[in-house]
Amino acid sequence: MSFPIAVLVSGEGSNLQAILDTVHGRDGIEVVCVASSRAGARGLERARDAGVPAEAFEIGAYPGRDERDAALADWLEGHGVRLIVLAGFMELLGSPFIQCFEGRIVNVHPSLLPAFPGVGAIEQALAHGVKLIGVTVHFVDEGVDSGPIVLQEPVAVESGDTVETLHARIKGAEHRLLPEACRLFLAGRLRVPPEGRRVTVL
Ligand code: GRF
């Protein structure tokens, strides 16, 4: 069995690297393509270094987001992907894209959702003075970080933490949870009931 996956990035690509290092090429799972919303993203270099086709889909290169999303969807379909992993992809994808790949897109977010959705989660959590933040991997629906939750792990906020020190520890957890969610999905071990939101891990 082969399980082609795509990873979408916008920047550094450390989560992509974790997937390449721990999931790619094992149990039939192959990262077959990497797309970025920014041409200069380090994640594109990481993909090419691993021999994975990588391409930028910048909104500015298209009449608008709908056209960009359509081009991206065609490219992903051309690669026959079973799962799309948003790994630090910092742009919203429109409804037609989400519907096209419904139930086959996961995202990693640096908080314990539903707390602090959207951009600036770590900044908001520090400003709020929370003692715990964390990581959520969730299915993507048409809302902002609102889809059914697959995996979560708390990360303690320490006194003196800055956005940078806290984000570094959060990323440590992300680099375990996101590859694990890919493995579970591709092993057919995730069930989302038609009614309700709670994802069961079989
Ligand atoms: C991650 O912390 C992710 O949760 C957030 O953006 C960051 C991406 O990091 N959405 P990287 O590009 O994978 O290093």
Side-chain angles (χ1 to χ4, degrees):
M1 280 290 249
S2 117
F3 298 102
I5 73 175
V7 182
L8 273 52
V9 300
S10 292
E12 177 57 30
S14 68
N15 280 285
L16 163 66
Q17 192 67 55
I19 290 169
L20 289 171
D21 291 346
T22 65
V23 174
H24 181 53
R26 300 181 195 191
D27 302 323
I29 303 173
E30 296 289 333
V31 179
V32 293
C33 56
V34 170
S36 172
S37 60
R38 289 200 308 111
R42 166 92 176 98
L44 289 174
E45 276 175 48
R46 293 181 189 266
R48 292 181 186 129
D49 287 349
V52 174
E55 209 163 304
F57 289 82
E58 293 192 332
I59 286 189
Y62 298 88
R65 190 178 73 177
D66 289 351
E67 290 82 0
R68 190 285 302 273
D69 285 4
L72 177 57
D74 283 350
W75 192 71
L76 295 170
E77 284 190 320
H79 283 89
V81 302
R82 297 267 294 265
L83 174 68
I84 297 168
V85 182
L86 307 187
F89 187 74
M90 300 306 285
E91 288 180 6
L92 292 176
L93 291 159
S95 299
F97 184 98
I98 304 295
Q99 284 163 16
C100 179
F101 299 103
E102 198 186 354
R104 292 192 287 143
I105 313 172
V106 294
N107 179 46
V108 63
H109 184 77
S111 78
L112 293 175
L113 291 170
F116 309 119
V119 292
I122 299 172
E123 289 84 347
Q124 288 175 55
L126 282 175
H128 201 90
V130 298
K131 308 282 184 185
L132 276 181
I133 184 167
V135 173
T136 302
V137 180
H138 64 94
F139 283 109
V140 173
D141 64 11
E142 292 180 37
V144 176
D145 298 324
S146 59
I149 290 167
V150 178
L151 297 174
Q152 287 188 304
E153 187 175 303
V155 171
V157 179
E158 292 169 7
S159 62
D161 256 338
T162 62
V163 171
E164 290 71 31
T165 58
L166 185 52
H167 200 176
R169 288 206 309 290
I170 288 171
K171 281 195 176 190
E174 290 182 340
H175 297 166
R176 282 181 282 102
L177 258 63
L178 190 56
E180 177 62 8
C182 295
R183 283 189 284 267
L184 291 169
F185 179 91
L186 295 165
R189 293 181 57 198
L190 300 179
R191 287 280 177 282
V192 192
E195 302 295 328
R197 302 176 46 87
R198 193 180 166 82
V199 177
T200 303
V201 179
L202 302 174

